[in-house]
């Protein structure tokens, strides 16, 4: 593979390498050119941006709605049917 192609990839992706002596020896043993190793050592990665969820901000306090009024239903009113007053049952 062409050295310039590898160098362009390192620059384009803004890669960063932390090469130790053992890494350099391994790269040399695998036939990586001096130009590529020099570019890897000179490469500086982009800034690392760490962000999390932002704070929750309320513009106004929460609004609570009043519950609906309680309706109490008593015994049904009597009604007149025929000869007297009766209570209607729902059966």
């Amino acid at each position: 593979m062409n050295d310039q192609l590898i160098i362009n990839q390192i620059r384009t992706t803004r890669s960063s390498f932390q090469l130790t002596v053992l890494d350099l020896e391994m790269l040399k043993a695998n036939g990586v050119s001096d130009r590529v190793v020099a570019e890897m050592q000179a490469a500086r990665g982009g800034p690392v941006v760490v962000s999390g969820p932002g704070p929750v901000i309320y513009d106004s306090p929460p609004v609570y709605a009043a519950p609906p009024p309680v309706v109490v239903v008593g015994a049904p009113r009597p009604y007149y049917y025929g000869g007297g007053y009766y209570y209607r049952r729902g059966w």
Side-chain angles (χ1 to χ4, degrees), residues 76-89:
R77 295 184 299 175
Y79 67 95
Y80 182 76
Y81 181 76
Y85 288 95
Y86 298 96
Y87 285 98
R88 180 174 180 233
R89 293 188 175 196

Side-chain angles (χ1 to χ4, degrees), residues 7-36:
I7 291 171
N8 287 341
Q9 183 68 20
I10 292 170
R11 290 178 182 169
T12 303
T13 59
R14 299 175 74 181
S15 300
S16 177
F17 302 94
Q18 302 295 324
L19 300 176
T20 64
V21 175
L22 294 174
D23 294 331
L24 294 173
E25 291 173 357
M26 191 248 340
L27 289 169
K28 278 295 174 192
N30 287 300
V32 178
S33 71
D34 290 338
R35 287 182 57 208
V36 173

